[in-house]
Amino acid sequence: MSLNLPQERVFAASPPLWKRFVAFLADLFILDAVIGSPFQRVVPAMTGGFGDTMEFLNARPDIAVSLSLVMLAYGLLAVLYFSILEYRLGATPGKMLFGISVRGEEQRFSPYILRNLPMLLIFPFFILLFIDVVYILVRKDSRRLSELISRTSTVQYYAL
Amino acid sequence: MKQVKKRRWVTVVVVLLALFVLAIFFSGLISLASGAGRGAGNVAIVPIKGVILTSGGGFMQGAAVSGEIVQQIEDADANPDIRAILLEIDSPGGAPVASNEIATAIGRTNKTTVAWIRESGTSGAYWIASATDYIVADPLSITGSIGVIGSYLDFSGLLTDFNVSYERLVGGQYKDVGVPYRKLSAEEKRYLQKKIDLMHGVFKDAVAKNRHLSRSEIDVLATGEFFLGMEAKNVRLVDELGGKREALGYVERTLNMTAVPVVYERESSLIESILSSVESKFGAPKVQVSGMKATLQ
């Protein structure tokens, strides 16, 4: 005999900014551990150590191309990390830890790529990162510009 | 609910693993494309690590292959930006031909050369070091061992115990001298000893010439004895006690410039670049000795 109890009512709203920020930091930490470590060998070998990087780059502008490749590869992998996990599971591990998720108006993969393009650490995409931060701070619903463009949003579900 | 949660975390782990593999691949590709490891500088550091051989190497053997090292020395010599060549030596020695090839290449350069001996720079590695203009070693470095070894294991007794015999079929009485399946005759032993003495003589002459030592002085030192760095300095086998700083300091004083080191290393293949992104430091090199093989060790 089913009891036919009323279903839990939930509504989605924008999570607090501190949660989004800390979740992002957690994801960056995971990213650095997983995809950052293979690149750690490549960069010091090119520059002879981070401490002398600027001096070295001025002396060897050709190495800047190689460093750009490293940044591009890192950015691509970061975009894949966020996009794949948000599309498949609705959240990255950092977001899962804080109970927030991503919701999209369309069930396609491309909006999730679009919303994470600012993670590409090369011009002009990294400019979007700064614009996104400004948008989060000024908008009432705290949505990023890339979220508006991709028609996705970061939400937290609250039970009534 | 638990199943759903478990599936989510499995998906996370799978995605992270896939990204890790991609990161290794990309870093290997970029490393290969950029020739990472050789930036700008005026002092070429050529590492000589592991047993010195004429062939072998590959990404798992840790040997110092003479052909590759000679190429690096020649590349550094041909580079107008490079004013000095610093050989970073950490090797127990190796094959005589390989050691001589590298020593000869050093002798042919027109640039200031310095040997920096770290843990070990004995035998063939010391031959190479002696060919440079200046040798710096740590007080506790193991160096010297100016000698030749051709010892091998004689399995003839073991074969007899297992009723295995060696059928000798040769054209030329010395063709199978040194095979481990039969005992050496006294004549054969004298024959091999003569060869070893010849090689030893060449080795001693080279060191005596390089280090400006008299015949009597080198005869006293070239007993195969190894010396700690501090002992080697007393007998003029090394010039200064110290490390990389002292080696570069010599270059700076001699050439009146600020030393900017750049490492000259063998260019890796794509697989080596990818694997080196995850592998840890290699352990000691493996050396296989089959039959009789004279080495400077």
Side-chain angles (χ1 to χ4, degrees):
Chain A
M1 181 177 108
S2 76
L3 292 177
N4 214 17
L5 293 169
Q7 293 220 332
E8 190 181 56
R9 283 183 293 172
V10 295
F11 74 96
S14 185
L17 279 182
W18 71 264
K19 264 197 185 180
R20 290 182 68 170
F21 179 66
V22 179
F24 182 64
L25 284 181
D27 281 320
L28 282 185
F29 180 76
I30 294 168
L31 263 176
D32 192 55
V34 172
I35 69 173
S37 46
F39 291 106
Q40 277 169 14
R41 181 195 161 269
V42 179
V43 176
M46 283 179 193
T47 63
F50 290 106
D52 303 319
T53 302
M54 284 316 296
E55 200 180 304
F56 183 83
L57 284 177
N58 286 332
R60 286 291 300 271
D62 54 306
I63 295 292
V65 173
S66 305
L67 279 176
S68 299
L69 283 173
V70 170
M71 288 169 69
L72 177 62
Y74 195 102
L76 266 169
L77 293 170
V79 168
L80 284 175
Y81 169 83
F82 283 98
S83 309
I84 293 173
L85 290 173
E86 285 171 355
Y87 174 66
R88 292 279 306 173
L89 305 175
T92 56
K95 290 185 174 71
M96 283 186 219
L97 286 170
F98 289 90
I100 55 182
S101 52
V102 174
R103 188 172 64 175
E105 290 175 25
E106 300 164 58
Q107 278 309 308
R108 290 187 299 127
F109 185 54
S110 49
Y112 292 88
I113 295 267
L114 202 57
R115 68 173 264 118
N116 290 304
L117 279 180
M119 293 300 300
L120 279 176
L121 300 170
I122 54 165
F123 183 85
F125 298 103
F126 67 74
I127 296 175
L128 277 173
L129 203 59
F130 297 111
I131 300 175
D132 272 353
V133 171
V134 169
Y135 260 70
I136 283 183
L137 294 172
V138 302
R139 282 185 67 95
K140 276 194 181 155
D141 59 1
S142 301
R143 279 177 87 182
R144 296 161 27 209
L145 175 62
S146 45
E147 288 181 325
L148 289 168
I149 296 170
S150 61
R151 299 204 288 178
T152 59
S153 51
T154 308
V155 297
Q156 182 168 0
Y157 291 98
Y158 298 91
L160 288 173
Chain B
M1 190 64 181
K2 260 190 182 171
Q3 285 284 9
V4 170
K5 249 191 169 176
K6 188 179 169 189
R7 262 204 300 263
R8 282 162 73 91
W9 286 108
V10 166
T11 304
V12 168
V13 168
V14 166
V15 169
L16 287 176
L17 273 172
L19 290 176
F20 182 65
V21 168
L22 274 175
I24 292 167
F25 179 74
F26 282 140
S27 66
L29 212 57
I30 292 169
S31 176
L32 189 71
S34 65
R38 192 182 289 190
N42 55 20
V43 178
I45 297 183
V46 177
I48 300 177
K49 295 181 180 178
V51 175
I52 301 164
L53 301 168
T54 46
S55 62
F59 60 88
M60 289 303 265
Q61 292 187 19
V65 179
S66 59
E68 292 167 3
I69 293 168
V70 165
Q71 187 62 57
Q72 285 149 27
I73 292 170
E74 288 172 352
D75 286 348
D77 197 35
N79 185 345
D81 294 334
I82 297 294
R83 307 269 311 276
I85 301 172
L86 170 61
L87 292 136
E88 182 188 344
I89 296 174
D90 192 359
S91 165
V97 171
S99 306
N100 192 20
E101 282 177 353
I102 298 171
T104 304
I106 293 168
R108 276 199 232 111
T109 67
N110 297 317
K111 306 202 173 167
T112 300
T113 52
V114 182
W116 164 34
I117 298 175
R118 303 191 65 183
E119 287 286 352
S120 174
T122 50
S123 198
Y126 182 74
W127 184 346
I128 292 166
S130 75
T132 62
D133 300 323
Y134 198 74
I135 304 177
V136 174
D138 188 273
L140 299 177
S141 295
I142 295 175
T143 187
S145 188
I146 304 168
V148 179
I149 184 169
S151 308
Y152 65 97
L153 294 176
D154 174 4
F155 290 105
S156 56
L158 186 67
L159 291 178
T160 306
D161 290 344
F162 284 91
N163 204 23
V164 175
S165 56
Y166 170 69
E167 282 299 328
R168 189 167 185 262
L169 290 165
V170 292
Q173 66 181 105
Y174 295 114
K175 191 66 181 173
D176 66 341
V177 75
V179 295
Y181 313 123
R182 66 172 181 81
K183 287 207 174 311
L184 272 180
S185 67
E187 188 195 342
E188 286 170 336
K189 204 167 185 176
R190 279 194 295 273
Y191 163 80
L192 288 174
Q193 189 60 53
K194 194 175 157 191
K195 303 297 178 194
I196 285 178
D197 290 340
L198 271 174
M199 283 192 259
H200 192 208
V202 170
F203 189 4
K204 282 196 296 186
D205 288 345
V207 172
K209 183 180 165 213
N210 293 337
R211 299 298 300 168
H212 310 295
L213 297 167
S214 67
R215 192 67 207 205
S216 57
E217 283 173 320
I218 197 66
D219 281 342
V220 169
L221 299 172
T223 58
E225 176 187 1
F226 69 84
F227 302 91
L228 294 181
M230 52 185 138
E231 295 172 320
K233 175 126 188 341
N234 293 337
V235 296
R236 289 161 49 206
L237 287 181
V238 309
D239 297 298
E240 187 178 344
L241 296 178
K244 186 179 183 182
R245 185 186 290 192
E246 284 70 25
L248 291 175
Y250 169 78
V251 170
E252 290 180 344
R253 288 193 308 272
T254 307
L255 298 175
N256 197 27
M257 68 177 198
T258 303
V260 179
V262 54
V263 178
Y264 272 56
E265 277 179 317
R266 179 174 68 89
E267 288 182 9
S268 314
S269 64
L270 175 60
I271 296 291
E272 288 167 345
S273 291
I274 290 170
L275 286 176
S276 65
S277 294
V278 287
E279 68 193 353
S280 53
K281 201 175 166 138
F282 292 129
K286 293 180 191 150
V287 179
Q288 276 189 320
V289 178
S290 55
M292 190 272 193
K293 191 175 177 182
T295 54
L296 299 171
Q297 285 187 332

